[in-house]
Amino acid sequence: MSPVLREAGFKRQGRWFRRENDRGDVASVYVQPFRLGVHDAEFFVNLYVLPKIWRDFTARKGSSEAMGLWQDRLRVPGRLPLRADHWSFDLSDEAAGRLLTDTLAARLPELLALLDPHVLLDYARTAPQAPGRKITVHRGMSVAALLASLGPSDELDRLLRELAQEPGGVLADVISDFVDFVPTWVATHRPSP
């Protein structure tokens, strides 16, 4: 895995592989151990995209990189759905190692394309939300965050007003905090091209 990620510009820190662009947006790959005691190597491969604005917002509350605005898991080709995202093989199994490397290499173009705020914004506007996968937060917040990364706009202002008027619920405090955060962030950051 490491050579493929290094070649794509990722830097390793423990189980994390990160690639940060010049705007401060980050694509991350995290190897999460999950041992069932069947093979030498047992783990998940988590994929994350954190736009700079989302990193700044979540960092204020001490959240980690695992709070990606977009996230997914690398699936094992041909595996049944129950364990489709659990990689499990012995270290001597070269074919399984190649499958992991090839599968990851095939997903990297998608992951890296999502570092473009226009691409991720289009995705956030249209993709279905599912717990723990893909766009992981309130759709209005994700769209507003990506619009904010592009700079001030009438659409962003309208969306923030709509978010501020949403009825209370489990996300009420987070949404309110986010609505307060965005204008200050926009005023102090250069828009993405």
Side-chain angles (χ1 to χ4, degrees):
M1 256 178 52
S2 293
V4 168
L5 290 167
R6 260 194 314 274
E7 187 176 307
F10 286 78
K11 294 183 176 145
R12 183 176 185 171
Q13 244 185 340
R15 291 188 169 114
W16 284 95
F17 296 84
R18 300 175 79 245
R19 178 173 165 178
E20 186 170 341
N21 65 20
D22 58 346
R23 293 182 306 272
D25 306 320
V26 173
S28 297
V29 177
Y30 176 63
V31 180
Q32 176 186 347
F34 188 80
R35 305 253 334 130
L36 296 175
V38 178
H39 294 103
D40 299 335
E42 298 180 310
F43 53 91
F44 298 112
V45 179
N46 300 325
L47 311 172
Y48 302 99
V49 174
L50 295 95
K52 171 80 168 124
I53 185 172
W54 195 249
R55 285 177 58 208
D56 291 350
F57 177 68
T58 58
R60 296 172 331 108
K61 302 291 186 185
S63 293
S64 74
E65 240 167 269
M67 287 294 299
L69 184 70
W70 179 95
Q71 66 185 40
D72 200 5
R73 279 202 170 141
L74 190 66
R75 305 282 187 271
V76 182
R79 180 82 46 93
L80 295 175
L82 180 61
R83 292 212 180 127
D85 56 0
H86 186 240
W87 292 85
S88 178
F89 55 89
D90 288 322
L91 297 176
S92 61
D93 188 342
E94 293 179 16
R98 273 193 307 281
L99 179 63
L100 170 62
T101 301
D102 293 347
T103 304
L104 180 58
R107 285 295 302 274
L108 286 179
E110 173 194 10
L111 181 65
L112 295 175
L114 292 171
L115 285 174
D116 179 331
H118 299 280
V119 173
L120 190 52
L121 176 59
D122 288 344
Y123 184 89
R125 289 182 197 269
T126 60
Q129 288 182 293
R133 298 288 185 267
K134 309 296 182 171
I135 297 296
T136 59
V137 299
H138 183 288
R139 184 180 309 276
M141 288 176 65
S142 62
V143 170
L146 294 162
L147 285 170
S149 72
L150 299 173
S153 71
D154 292 340
E155 183 181 7
L156 174 59
D157 293 342
R158 178 190 52 75
L159 188 52
L160 289 175
R161 283 192 305 274
E162 289 173 8
L163 284 168
Q165 294 175 6
E166 281 203 10
V170 295
L171 290 178
D173 290 342
V174 175
I175 291 172
S176 177
D177 192 25
F178 179 76
V179 167
D180 292 341
F181 168 81
V182 170
T184 302
W185 191 92
V186 169
T188 59
H189 288 80
R190 193 178 79 237
S192 298

